[in-house]
Amino acid sequence: LTQSSAQALAQKYFDANYTVDKTIYGAPTISIPATGYNSTGSVTITATNSMPTVLMKLASISSLPVSISSNVIWGQSKLWVALVLDNSGSMSNGDASGSKMSALQNASHQLLTILQNAASSPGDVKVGIVPFTRSVNMGESGYVGSAFIDWGEWDAPPANAAAVVTSSVGPGSACPFSTGTTGYRCTNGSANGSSSTGTVPASGIICPGSDNGSVNTAHNARYYNGCYDSVPTNTLTTTTTTSTPTTLSQTCTTVNGGATSCNAGSSSTGSSTVTNTTTATTAGYSGNSSSTTNASSTAAPTDGSQNCSTHHGTTTCTWTRRTVTTDVATTVALTGAAPFNHTWTHNSHSTWSGCVTDRQRGGVQTMTMAGLRTAPASDYDTTNTQPVNTTPDTQFPAENPSSCPAATVSAALGFDWAGLGTKIDDMSPGGSTNQAIGVEHGWQMLTTGDPYTTPALPANTSRYIIFVSDGLNTQDRWWGNGSTEGTVQDGYIDTQEETTCDRAKADGVVIYAIYVNVGNVGGAGNSAPLRYCASDATKYYALTSNSAVVTTFNQIAQQITNVRVVR
């Protein structure tokens, strides 16, 4: 509406509700001053009238002017909204109109526009974005050096590695790991995704690859971030002799039995013969070294048969003379030998992708460099407890999973609408589903304090989580393999999610839950975890088309930005 059309509409609305006798009491007029109308947010309406008097007519005052103004803002005075958005691989599916991810991105952009327009002043509406898969990407640059990240499992070797990395394993040994016995294989280096190898490299590093979860169930599809070295305690001395013959062939001549004359001839080198003459192992090791000494010996020449001919009384004889010289190189090599000592060295924290997994559950121990950490009594994975450095179980565990979300969480609630839009554009489908971790981080973002530096909640501020997923839980830090739905283990994740939602709702957060069942082969008609998580039945949506995603987001936006008379 323009200012003038808004004023005309306001007059009609007032006239329809002002039912007194206008011939007696007059017809009030409605005015909206040019400075009192904002097409994206608020309107100030003033109603004026002349009210007839009774007793005051004796003083020649037949009427009194009456005026009242009201200021109406479209939207709550203040809103905090966390968009908790599924980025799992199945979001690449969809219908004829496109993928679920593209529909989610389109709807989210429209929602941001509505929320931006609902703010009468900058900062009245703040939004955070929480993309999630089995993990949440908090962003390496903002948190790698912070007190909010738990590096216990990152720094630690596999729990079952020490038993197989024995003193006999060293350079050239068979890899002591296997997918069947330990749950992972050896790799050629410590970097995530390094190629597999069946033999310990010459450097002696023994590096575990990504875990398949068959043995270490709480480390499924996660990389270990480091390697063992191999430091020998003995020295193996190997003496190697290499003999190389060189044969000089000359043509020699005598005339009438006189002095022998031979030409310069030509040389040819024969095949070398290598012999390990001695090996010995001695205690102690001071490093690898090698030294070579050379010697040479020449055998007596050997002559071939003579070929003689006589012309005009002169007899000339010729033959071939061969002289063999043997060069001998003796190499003494000192190399490390078993038994080997092995020390685990973790990768630099700067190689972290930014991903974190679920916080610690009560009664569960975490593997660290120092061994198993004492299990906490509390379930931090379903709470909004602030992370503190003195209690590592309250911190968010750093991990490098095989599929970390491409999009990072907003660093904080904010109203940088262009920046929030970029977060939406960064989202890309991949990985498994852990709805519980998404809810926890959405709630954490709406909670004053760390890790998202959330300020104190202003007065008259409503907090919302808009929670979107296209499936059921398939994998978290402890349960599931990412490829099944509805298993007993997946049910454990559902329970974890329900507990988190219960606590967030008890904290005053209103949760809208949206199940996007589009293009799911054999997908369920409803998502019990999402339905449970919604604040009430009116805030749960089960959608079967991409177009419904946009419609639903717009509907929710209108609901949370209802007209509110502020004075």
Side-chain angles (χ1 to χ4, degrees):
L1 299 177
T2 63
Q3 184 270 342
S4 59
S5 60
Q7 178 170 310
L9 181 61
Q11 183 71 60
K12 290 180 180 179
Y13 185 85
F14 188 91
D15 290 343
N17 287 274
Y18 187 75
T19 58
V20 300
D21 189 341
K22 294 181 177 63
T23 61
I24 297 175
Y25 295 103
T29 59
I30 301 300
S31 65
I32 300 177
T35 58
Y37 181 74
N38 179 346
S39 62
T40 63
S42 65
V43 61
T44 299
I45 302 175
T46 301
T48 58
N49 194 18
S50 295
M51 296 297 293
T53 64
V54 178
L55 293 177
M56 294 186 70
K57 288 182 179 180
L58 297 176
S60 299
I61 300 175
S62 59
S63 64
L64 289 174
V66 178
S67 177
I68 186 169
S69 294
S70 182
N71 177 229
V72 178
I73 295 177
W74 180 256
Q76 299 285 346
S77 57
K78 294 185 187 299
L79 290 175
W80 283 4
V81 182
L83 302 183
V84 178
L85 308 176
D86 190 345
N87 279 214
S88 62
S90 55
M91 289 295 289
S92 61
N93 300 330
D95 57 20
S97 64
S99 70
K100 288 177 284 189
M101 177 57 74
S102 62
L104 178 60
Q105 290 171 317
N106 183 30
S108 298
H109 278 295
Q110 294 189 32
L111 175 64
L112 291 179
T113 299
I114 294 173
L115 294 175
Q116 179 183 6
N117 291 338
S120 58
S121 300
D124 282 354
V125 177
K126 292 184 177 181
V127 177
I129 311 293
V130 182
F132 73 91
T133 57
R134 60 162 290 173
S135 312
V136 164
N137 190 343
M138 294 180 68
E140 180 270 340
S141 61
Y143 292 97
V144 66
S146 75
F148 312 140
I149 304 302
D150 176 12
W151 296 100
E153 283 193 323
W154 170 284
D155 293 344
N160 58 348
V164 294
V165 182
T166 61
S167 61
S168 62
V169 178
S173 299
C175 170
F177 308 141
S178 71
T179 54
T181 58
T182 59
Y184 45 85
R185 294 185 293 176
C186 289
T187 62
N188 282 311
S190 63
N192 296 162
S194 295
S195 59
S196 297
T197 178
T199 304
V200 176
S203 62
I205 57 172
I206 308 169
C207 308
S210 180
D211 203 312
N212 64 13
S214 61
V215 180
N216 301 303
T217 56
H219 219 282
N220 190 10
R222 293 164 61 189
Y223 287 105
Y224 295 98
N225 297 284
C227 301
Y228 288 99
D229 62 9
S230 297
V231 178
T233 60
N234 285 337
T235 298
L236 176 67
T237 302
T238 302
T239 303
T240 304
T241 301
T242 303
S243 300
T244 305
T246 300
T247 301
L248 174 64
S249 298
Q250 299 172 289
T251 299
C252 298
T253 305
T254 62
V255 177
N256 292 330
T260 300
S261 173
C262 299
N263 64 6
S266 61
S267 296
S268 63
T269 302
S271 299
S272 297
T273 301
V274 179
T275 304
N276 292 330
T277 57
T278 59
T279 57
T281 301
T282 55
Y285 175 72
S286 58
N288 290 358
S289 64
S290 178
S291 61
T292 301
T293 57
N294 296 292
S296 180
S297 61
T298 302
T302 59
D303 291 338
S305 57
Q306 294 184 355
N307 182 15
C308 299
S309 60
T310 301
H311 297 281
H312 306 293
T314 301
T315 300
T316 302
C317 296
T318 61
W319 66 94
T320 298
R321 176 171 288 175
R322 291 181 174 83
T323 305
V324 177
T325 300
T326 302
D327 295 318
V328 179
T330 302
T331 300
V332 178
L334 306 180
T335 57
F340 294 93
N341 292 327
H342 302 289
T343 302
W344 174 265
T345 301
H346 64 75
N347 292 350
S348 168
H349 294 171
S350 64
T351 63
W352 178 45
S353 64
C355 261
V356 295
T357 187
D358 304 88
R359 289 200 288 184
Q360 194 64 13
R361 292 190 298 121
V364 177
Q365 295 175 301
T366 296
M367 185 67 179
T368 69
M369 285 285 288
L372 288 172
R373 180 189 295 160
T374 302
S378 300
D379 289 328
Y380 294 108
D381 58 330
T382 58
T383 70
N384 64 340
T385 303
Q386 290 188 343
V388 291
N389 199 32
T390 54
T391 309
D393 287 324
T394 66
Q395 299 173 313
F396 297 90
E399 66 162 357
N400 273 354
S402 54
S403 57
C404 181
T408 60
V409 177
S410 301
L413 285 169
F415 53 96
D416 174 7
W417 303 104
L420 291 167
T422 299
K423 291 285 184 187
I424 298 298
D425 293 336
D426 288 343
M427 296 192 310
S428 178
S432 49
T433 304
N434 177 12
Q435 295 169 0
I437 197 173
V439 176
E440 188 197 5
H441 281 263
W443 181 23
Q444 201 83 46
M445 188 164 285
L446 300 176
T447 300
T448 299
D450 297 325
Y452 297 115
T453 61
T454 306
L457 185 69
N460 300 319
T461 300
S462 297
R463 295 180 297 163
Y464 293 91
I465 287 176
I466 299 177
F467 180 23
V468 184
S469 183
D470 74 331
L472 304 178
N473 290 307
T474 60
Q475 188 175 28
D476 72 351
R477 179 179 179 183
W478 302 281
W479 302 299
N481 60 13
S483 62
T484 61
E485 291 185 344
T487 66
V488 171
Q489 288 203 349
D490 296 338
Y492 297 152
I493 310 174
D494 294 349
T495 301
Q496 180 190 14
E497 175 185 346
E498 291 171 359
T499 301
T500 307
C501 290
D502 282 342
R503 291 174 174 174
K505 289 182 286 189
D507 188 43
V509 176
V510 178
I511 301 178
Y512 285 85
I514 304 169
Y515 174 41
V516 186
N517 184 26
V518 180
N520 290 354
V521 179
N526 280 292
S527 169
L530 286 172
R531 184 172 55 214
Y532 182 94
C533 201
S535 289
D536 57 58
T538 67
K539 295 177 177 61
Y540 170 70
Y541 301 82
L543 311 180
T544 58
S545 69
N546 280 338
S547 60
V549 178
V550 177
T551 303
T552 300
F553 266 50
N554 287 336
Q555 180 181 342
I556 294 172
Q558 299 299 334
Q559 291 177 9
I560 67 176
T561 56
N562 282 335
V563 171
R564 181 172 184 270
V565 179
V566 294
R567 73 173 185 271

